[in-house]
């Protein structure tokens, strides 16, 4: 077999170790014994080792791969909080785009929250990422590499697409990453969660994929008037169509839907909001995750008692609702604060 032609190699350096297919890796290793392909592939995916660290390889090969498969992301910041149980990276990607990744370790799981885009075009006014606007889509290799960086710190069990960006607006690259995390890194479908602002065509397409990942819908308001304001894309995909698409997803995958609700003081935390949410959730058999708002320009957090009262109201209406303990607030690692500052 011939050596890999140069143009592909310079392309690889941009995409990083997770931008090559197994066949491309085999081409890169054409002059090596065949077992090297599996050896390097497994080291990349199971150990999240960089080629320079693969001491099992001969030095010359290690050096060659360190160039050809150099990481695509450069960590520019790593901060820790919650006694080391929360880690936040800021990475610089190709072209200078900034993205963030958060690892949250719990007694029974290690969850990594990945970015799917640098910035976001959806413009939800309470979200720091939305306030910053859209920069660019991430490649699937860049999404997978975020998990690899985290795996180097802790064995990752769960991945949630709740960092910067709207995953279903970057559908192909997101799905490419989801498949690679499942197929090569061994993360089961039920430990992968896509969080969406509610792009109906994306939800419909996901329904046909035959991959039962968890779906989290960022609802925040269960009447169109308020949701149009908090989630501007609701004007294009209003609640009735969204509910239908979600119901079909649940029917096809048998996964339970979760509804994300950032509790915003005085905006969506009144009794009538709980009643509207309860109707929406019960119809879909959905679980509700309440997230006390992380304050951003112009939006206030509710007092904790008020958020707890909202949860109690939902529970009294028969809804399965949890109030999420927010992590990493001291290091701005919480939802909606990932703006690559
Ligand atoms: N774009 C996707 C995924 C990234 S946002 C989505 O919107 O679902 C991940 C979650 O953080 C979403 O539920 C989003 O609504 C929430 N979020 C955004 N800003 C927030 C804030 N300031 N406080 C709390 N949650 C926030
Ligand atoms: Fe984008 Fe999600 Fe933020 Fe809305 S909440 S602006 S969809 S990242």
């Amino acid at each position: 077999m011939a050596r890999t032609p140069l143009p592909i190699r310079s392309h690889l350096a941009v995409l990083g170790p997770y931008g090559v297919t197994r066949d491309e890796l085999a081409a890169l290793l054409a002059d090596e014994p065949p077992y090297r392909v599996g050896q390097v592939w497994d080291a990349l995916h199971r150990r999240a080792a960089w080629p320079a660290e693969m001491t099992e390889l001969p030095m010359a090969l290690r050096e060659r791969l360190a160039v050809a498969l150099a990481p695509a992301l450069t960590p520019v910041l790593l901060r820790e909080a919650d006694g080391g149980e929360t880690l936040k990276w800021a990475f610089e990607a190709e072209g200078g785009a900034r993205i963030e990744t958060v690892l949250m370790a719990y007694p029974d799981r290690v969850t990594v929250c990945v970015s799917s885009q640098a910035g976001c075009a959806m413009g939800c006014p309470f979200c720091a990422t939305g306030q910053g606007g859209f920069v660019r889509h991430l490649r699937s290799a860049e999404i997978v590499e975020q998990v690899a960086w985290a795996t180097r710190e802790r064995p990752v069990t769960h991945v949630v697409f709740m960092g910067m960006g709207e995953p279903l607006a970057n559908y192909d690259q997101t799905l490419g990453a989801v498949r690679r995390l499942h197929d090569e890194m061994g993360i089961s479908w039920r430990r992968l969660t896509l969080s969406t602002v509610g792009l109906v065509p994306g939800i419909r397409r996901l329904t046909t994929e035959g991959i039962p990942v968890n779906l989290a819908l960022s609802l925040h308001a269960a009447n169109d008037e308020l949701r149009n304001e908090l989630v501007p894309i609701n004007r294009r995909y209003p609640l009735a169509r969204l509910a239908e698409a979600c119901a079909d997803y649940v029917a096809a995958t048998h996964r339970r839907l979760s509804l994300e609700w950032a509790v915003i003081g005085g905006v969506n935390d009144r009794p009538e909001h709980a009643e509207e949410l309860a109707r929406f959730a019960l119809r879909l058999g959905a679980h509700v995750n309440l997230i006390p708002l992380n304050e951003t320009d112009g939006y206030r957090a509710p007092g904790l008692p008020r958020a707890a009262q909202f949860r109690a109201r939902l529970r009294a209406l028969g809804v399965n609702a949890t109030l999420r303990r927010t992590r990493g607030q001291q290091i701005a690692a919480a939802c909606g604060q990932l703006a690559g500052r």
Side-chain angles (χ1 to χ4, degrees), residues 116-117 119-133 161-167 195-199 218 220 230-233 335-336 338:
S116 57
Q117 300 177 311
C120 182
M122 297 297 139
C124 307
F126 58 89
C127 167
T129 305
Q131 290 170 355
F161 285 65
M162 292 186 183
M164 297 171 74
E166 167 51 42
S195 176
T196 180
V197 70
L199 300 185
S218 296
H220 310 311
L230 295 178
V231 181
I233 199 71
C335 292
L338 303 185

Side-chain angles (χ1 to χ4, degrees), residues 126 230 261-270 273 291-295 298-304 306-307:
F126 58 89
L230 295 178
W261 190 280
V263 188
I264 310 177
V267 173
N268 65 355
D269 62 350
R270 287 196 297 269
H273 299 126
I291 318 157
L293 184 83
N294 296 301
E295 298 204 346
Y299 286 85
R300 284 188 312 105
L304 208 61
R306 188 147 171 128

Side-chain angles (χ1 to χ4, degrees), residues 150-168:
T151 301
R152 296 164 63 81
E153 298 295 326
R154 297 274 191 128
V156 170
T157 60
H158 292 69
V159 178
V160 298
F161 285 65
M162 292 186 183
M164 297 171 74
E166 167 51 42
L168 297 184

Side-chain angles (χ1 to χ4, degrees), residues 20-243:
V20 286
T21 62
R22 203 176 165 118
D23 286 347
E24 286 167 336
L25 181 65
L28 203 57
L29 297 172
D31 50 358
E32 296 288 327
Y35 67 85
R36 289 278 183 232
V37 180
Q39 195 179 21
V40 172
W41 189 258
D42 288 348
L44 284 174
H45 294 91
R46 301 287 161 166
R47 289 191 350 239
W50 304 138
E53 301 159 347
M54 296 177 190
T55 49
E56 65 275 29
L57 303 179
M59 184 63 95
L61 176 59
R62 217 187 299 165
E63 285 173 355
R64 184 159 72 87
L65 290 182
V67 175
L69 301 178
L73 302 177
T74 308
V76 290
L77 192 81
L78 172 57
R79 300 175 74 182
E80 85 175 60
D82 305 316
E85 301 297 279
T86 303
L87 298 174
K88 180 180 83 165
W89 288 261
F91 293 107
E92 187 170 307
E94 194 212 341
R98 288 292 182 102
I99 58 164
E100 298 189 349
T101 306
V102 182
L103 176 154
M104 291 157 288
Y106 301 93
D108 59 333
R109 61 172 66 189
V110 175
T111 299
V112 176
C113 177
V114 296
S115 296
S116 57
Q117 300 177 311
C120 182
M122 297 297 139
C124 307
F126 58 89
C127 167
T129 305
Q131 290 170 355
F134 178 71
V135 179
R136 73 164 170 87
H137 293 300
L138 295 184
R139 307 294 302 262
S140 96
E142 294 171 315
I143 300 172
V144 173
E145 198 181 305
Q146 295 172 61
V147 179
W149 281 99
T151 301
R152 296 164 63 81
E153 298 295 326
R154 297 274 191 128
V156 170
T157 60
H158 292 69
V159 178
V160 298
F161 285 65
M162 292 186 183
M164 297 171 74
E166 167 51 42
L168 297 184
N170 185 19
Y171 189 93
D172 292 335
Q173 299 300 322
T174 292
L175 264 280
V178 162
R179 289 186 192 281
R180 191 133 168 172
L181 292 171
H182 173 271
D183 297 352
E184 308 299 344
M185 290 190 167
I187 301 176
S188 67
W189 300 126
R190 58 184 57 238
R191 293 178 168 201
L192 292 162
T193 300
L194 292 183
S195 176
T196 180
V197 70
L199 300 185
V200 168
I203 297 169
R204 293 248 170 248
R205 208 173 146 193
L206 191 63
T207 305
T208 67
E209 300 280 355
I211 57 171
V213 294
N214 297 306
L215 188 64
L217 171 65
S218 296
L219 193 64
H220 310 311
N223 74 70
D224 281 312
E225 196 188 340
L226 180 58
R227 197 163 192 270
N228 285 346
E229 203 181 297
L230 295 178
V231 181
I233 199 71
N234 190 70
R235 292 168 197 274
R236 195 171 324 157
Y237 307 115
L239 287 165
R241 284 184 62 195
L242 192 51

